Amino acid sequence: MRFKTYLGKEPRHADLVSCVAWHTTDEVLSCGDDHEVLVWNLVTNETTKLLTLANDLFPTDMHIFPRTSSASGIKKQIGGDMFIITTTDGKFHLINRTGRIEKSVEAHRGAVLAGRWSHDGTAFVTAGEDGQIKIWSRSGMLRSTLASNSFPIYSIAWGPNSDQVLHTLNHQLVIKPLQPNSKPLQWKAHEGLILKVAWNPSNNLIISGGEDCKYKVWDSYGRILYSSHTNDYPITSLAWSPNGEMFCIGSFNSLRLCDQTGWSHSLDKPETQSIFCLEWSSDGTQVAGSCGNGHVIFAHVVERRLEWKHFEATVRGRKTIAVQNVSNDLMENLDFRDNIIKVSFEYNHLIVVTSTQCYIYSTKNWNTPLIFDLKEGNVSLVVQAEKHFLFVDGQGLYIYNYEGRPVSTPKWPGMRTDYLNESTVTLSNDSVAIRNKGDEKVVHIFDVVTGKYIPDGKPFAHKMEVLEVALDQCGPASSRRLAFVDKNRDLHLLNIRVSPNAAKRIMKLGVMMHSIKWNDNSNMLSALQDGKLIIFYYPAVVFIDKNLLSLTVMQKDDSDFGKNPKIVSFVGNHISIRRADGSLVSSAVSPYPSVLHGYVSSHRWDDAVRLCRYIKDEALWACLAGMSISSKDLKTAEIAYAAIKEVN
């Protein structure tokens, strides 16, 4: 993956450009020290002037009213798209889409260095040279002074639920809750002055960059997850992509694209001088940056690679995808009418979402995709299962089958689709599970066809916050199970079709687990535990005979995985793991448990016993013992228990 950058021949601004903001996915606003606010149309490549600020107004920051589902009702009340511009004379200005200044407010002594709308659009925050941070209502009335410090505040960011503000303080980062008398979280983050911070609501991670020429990734407790090497120049700008999968870093004549874990996808060296502000478009495919030499730089994410078995799909440009069949070297080029926003490739189907349509390709036929129109082109997530796929946009969550027909649209109270990601949404052939953002202990489990809660019309509530959810993919709907990791890093297995009062509805599989993935063609579960790879050959055995669980688990101790690895895929008997430095490590699993699952699902008990006798593996016998008890085949169970010396 890398950036493809576009830079005009001549700068459109006569002086340094200090800030940019996306109005729509095709329109960008920029303003600079030449006092002009320009509108860039990316379709026609035209630039028009929106307004000229007074000669004594030098802009420092600009932010457009957020385009989220919960904010749309507020947008009607305040009349269209408002944006704020903060300036060096201590004021902020509320400006409407036509370029009229609705309100100018004296906010700080000295320059106002940053101004940001909250995610829900109910308030905005400003920070100034005077060290103060102030919260304002959306009409520009002062609500409170959140903090007073002796150092200038260079950058601020809202917390995911808009109830905290992260700000810089010299070499330190501070998270300040909005509730009065609540204790702030403060830690030393850099050796030099911190210039920029960003906090992503989707993955709850923080990035910071400063004059020590480093950028760092933090969790919301101030624990460091990644620290970059020392760059050539100070980090002057950074921004998260909306879905939290990537971020970009701007410096003097350099633009870097990074994965959410910190490692670098690509580095460009455009002739821009310092990049002072970076902003992602709402669809997460392109970036605009304001440059010190009067240019506005645009960058598009290309060469995103996806693999499924012996196929590889690569996004070559804004509107083209190349698909290669590695087994016979056949190449297919797929061209689209509009810009590609999202691509997903699993279960022999390639899903391509553009700004207006969704294309469904089968690996058997690349010439005639199924196409249907989208209500909104802001798709932020696509999740696939064997028979269905779902996608999430700003308005809701939609489940379709591979013929392109809508199946259902599950809804729940207080639904916020902009916070959903791959860890918090999971789909199988008959069920869909979604971790709630408002209350992270709650998981909503719906039937795919009806869109109604299962099993009894209520969501599942765990005693701890849930971090990651995954539904198994095989077997009948009645035995569907949800694996999830909670805040303590405990891995649990939940029987989702069993009544909530059942004694064995939820069981614990292990501790200190992260990154879980089910196999695509049998119900084996992989997880990472302290740098070890754990494979549960038959996790459901925990509901049948808990003593067998330890016998059906395989561990791989591998120093190759490094720190903070992540399971990317578990297809067939191959597992792909992404290391913290971005490299992919492949690991193979024994093919026999998968064969055993196949025999048992088709009730071929004699073949299953024959396989176990041939392989002579205790783990296989233990799996067979659990499976036969579950299916009430006592003759096979007797043979299997005898083989693992558990006759009694």
Side-chain angles (χ1 to χ4, degrees):
M1 212 178 329
R2 64 177 179 87
F3 271 143
K4 187 176 180 185
T5 56
Y6 309 88
L7 208 58
K9 287 178 183 163
E10 292 294 321
R12 301 290 170 91
H13 283 275
D15 206 334
L16 170 154
V17 188
S18 53
C19 36
V20 288
W22 288 84
H23 177 243
T24 65
T25 50
D26 297 323
E27 238 182 30
V28 173
L29 302 178
S30 66
C31 60
D33 285 1
D34 59 354
H35 316 292
E36 301 213 329
V37 180
L38 300 183
V39 181
W40 303 70
N41 189 316
L42 302 188
V43 178
T44 59
N45 287 331
E46 289 175 351
T47 312
T48 52
K49 186 159 69 171
L50 182 68
L51 82 151
T52 305
L53 300 169
N55 282 344
D56 56 344
L57 293 185
F58 293 90
T60 55
D61 198 8
M62 169 165 60
H63 198 206
I64 285 188
F65 193 82
R67 291 178 164 271
T68 59
S69 50
S70 59
S72 54
I74 300 166
K75 188 176 281 189
K76 292 188 184 81
Q77 296 166 28
I78 65 168
D81 299 316
M82 299 289 280
F83 60 97
I84 45 175
I85 289 183
T86 61
T87 49
T88 53
D89 62 347
K91 291 180 180 170
F92 67 80
H93 310 271
L94 283 172
I95 303 172
N96 69 15
R97 180 63 192 88
T98 59
R100 195 165 68 98
I101 297 179
E102 299 277 340
K103 196 171 192 178
S104 294
V105 177
E106 192 83 47
H108 293 266
R109 294 193 312 278
V112 187
L113 297 176
R116 298 270 111 183
W117 285 103
S118 64
H119 300 298
D120 55 11
T122 55
F124 62 88
V125 61
T126 59
E129 251 179 348
D130 56 2
Q132 293 197 329
I133 297 168
K134 295 181 178 181
I135 309 288
W136 307 80
S137 75
R138 59 175 186 261
S139 58
M141 305 295 287
L142 180 63
R143 281 190 185 165
S144 64
T145 301
L146 189 65
S148 297
N149 303 289
S150 49
F151 294 103
I153 308 296
Y154 284 95
S155 186
I156 44 179
W158 285 92
N161 295 327
S162 300
D163 58 356
Q164 295 169 301
V165 172
L166 164 72
H167 67 86
T168 66
L169 189 64
N170 206 0
H171 297 191
Q172 297 183 317
L173 289 177
V174 184
I175 296 176
K176 183 87 171 82
L178 296 193
Q179 294 86 10
N181 305 327
S182 49
K183 200 166 179 276
L185 174 67
Q186 187 167 341
W187 71 96
K188 185 179 178 187
H190 288 261
E191 293 302 320
L193 186 69
I194 302 171
L195 299 175
K196 284 284 178 181
V197 290
W199 194 346
N200 187 271
S202 180
N203 62 23
N204 203 13
L205 296 179
I206 293 165
I207 44 175
S208 62
E211 289 190 346
D212 59 355
C213 305
K214 288 183 179 180
Y215 62 88
K216 299 184 181 185
V217 183
W218 312 86
D219 68 9
S220 56
Y221 301 103
R223 294 181 296 222
I224 189 158
L225 303 177
Y226 180 85
S227 175
S228 75
H229 64 280
T230 306
N231 288 272
D232 297 339
Y233 297 99
I235 306 298
T236 49
S237 58
L238 41 79
W240 277 110
S241 69
N243 59 14
E245 287 173 15
M246 302 171 284
F247 61 89
C248 54
I249 299 287
S251 182
F252 184 83
N253 283 355
S254 93
L255 177 63
R256 189 183 290 273
L257 177 65
C258 302
D259 184 76
Q260 62 170 344
T261 50
W263 54 274
S264 184
H265 280 293
S266 71
L267 173 65
D268 287 274
K269 295 279 189 182
E271 291 293 320
T272 56
Q273 296 180 9
S274 286
I275 300 175
F276 290 109
C277 173
L278 287 167
E279 289 284 337
W280 285 84
S281 60
S282 56
D283 59 15
T285 60
Q286 41 195 342
V287 171
S290 62
C291 310
N293 59 0
H295 275 292
V296 173
I297 187 170
F298 295 99
H300 201 85
V301 180
V302 293
E303 290 186 18
R304 190 190 295 259
R305 282 174 62 246
L306 299 165
E307 291 172 16
W308 175 256
K309 295 191 172 168
H310 52 272
F311 290 97
E312 183 177 271
T314 308
V315 182
R316 288 264 182 246
R318 287 180 165 203
K319 300 177 181 178
T320 54
I321 291 178
V323 181
Q324 183 178 10
N325 185 337
V326 182
S327 59
N328 57 15
D329 257 359
L330 279 177
M331 285 286 285
E332 293 281 350
N333 282 315
L334 314 177
D335 292 309
F336 302 93
R337 192 181 71 187
D338 304 294
N339 287 349
I340 298 163
I341 291 173
K342 271 278 171 209
V343 188
S344 178
F345 196 4
E346 281 182 302
Y347 300 99
N348 296 320
H349 287 89
L350 175 69
I351 310 290
V352 182
V353 178
T354 69
S355 50
T356 56
Q357 291 173 315
C358 178
Y359 296 75
I360 305 166
Y361 289 90
S362 165
T363 52
K364 297 187 182 85
N365 177 9
W366 295 107
N367 299 323
T368 49
L370 288 151
I371 306 171
F372 61 88
D373 291 336
L374 299 171
K375 290 182 195 162
E376 186 186 319
N378 253 359
V379 173
S380 58
L381 179 67
V382 179
V383 178
Q384 287 179 253
E386 190 186 358
K387 294 179 182 170
H388 307 97
F389 69 96
L390 69 78
F391 66 84
V392 175
D393 66 14
Q395 302 298 322
L397 182 143
Y398 310 93
I399 299 174
Y400 280 76
N401 62 18
Y402 288 114
E403 277 92 55
R405 294 196 193 95
V407 179
S408 64
T409 54
K411 287 186 171 66
W412 61 94
M415 178 161 135
R416 289 291 301 273
T417 56
D418 45 328
Y419 291 150
L420 300 179
N421 58 32
E422 284 174 349
S423 299
T424 58
V425 180
T426 175
L427 178 71
S428 71
N429 289 335
D430 44 69
S431 315
V432 58
I434 300 133
R435 201 276 318 268
N436 191 3
K437 181 64 190 171
D439 180 0
E440 295 185 352
K441 296 176 182 174
V442 172
V443 180
H444 303 282
I445 305 170
F446 301 100
D447 187 281
V448 159
V449 179
T450 62
K452 294 200 166 74
Y453 277 111
I454 48 178
D456 65 340
K458 287 205 288 282
F460 164 73
H462 189 52
K463 56 184 185 290
M464 297 284 300
E465 285 89 346
V466 174
L467 300 179
E468 195 172 348
V469 291
L471 283 164
D472 62 5
Q473 298 297 318
C474 305
S478 56
S479 63
R480 187 68 57 234
R481 294 181 175 99
L482 175 77
F484 65 89
V485 178
D486 66 19
K487 200 174 174 184
N488 278 352
R489 292 282 171 200
D490 293 341
L491 174 60
H492 298 268
L493 199 61
L494 172 74
N495 250 332
I496 64 172
R497 301 266 173 176
V498 175
S499 73
N501 304 327
K504 278 193 174 179
R505 192 186 181 208
I506 178 170
M507 298 293 273
K508 188 166 158 183
L509 286 180
V511 296
M512 293 314 292
M513 299 281 185
H514 61 278
S515 191
I516 54 175
K517 204 88 174 172
W518 288 95
N519 187 276
D520 68 313
N521 60 13
S522 62
N523 285 339
M524 297 191 289
L525 177 67
S526 59
L528 289 165
Q529 178 186 42
D530 283 340
K532 292 189 299 232
L533 176 62
I534 312 281
I535 312 291
F536 295 92
Y537 286 144
Y538 182 48
V541 75
V542 73
F543 294 107
I544 301 148
D545 183 350
K546 207 172 176 185
N547 301 330
L548 292 177
L549 182 66
S550 58
L551 299 175
T552 61
V553 174
M554 185 204 79
Q555 280 193 24
K556 273 196 159 184
D557 293 336
D558 202 331
S559 55
D560 284 353
F561 299 147
K563 191 181 159 207
N564 286 345
K566 185 177 185 234
I567 300 174
V568 180
S569 66
F570 185 8
V571 178
N573 57 342
H574 283 280
I575 297 178
S576 288
I577 294 168
R578 177 82 67 187
R579 290 175 27 162
D581 62 359
S583 55
L584 273 174
V585 179
S586 279
S587 191
V589 179
S590 164
Y592 301 116
S594 182
V595 176
L596 183 68
H597 275 278
Y599 283 155
V600 170
S601 62
S602 52
H603 301 291
R604 292 162 62 185
W605 295 105
D606 292 343
D607 289 341
V609 172
R610 218 170 285 133
L611 175 76
C612 291
R613 282 189 173 138
Y614 177 67
I615 303 301
K616 298 189 181 70
D617 181 7
E618 192 180 45
L620 274 191
W621 280 116
C623 289
L624 183 60
M627 290 168 179
S628 52
I629 289 282
S630 173
S631 300
K632 300 186 172 55
D633 189 303
L634 301 182
K635 183 181 151 210
T636 311
E638 225 169 279
I639 298 168
Y641 272 107
I644 54 171
K645 301 183 175 58
E646 294 276 350
V647 181
N648 54 337

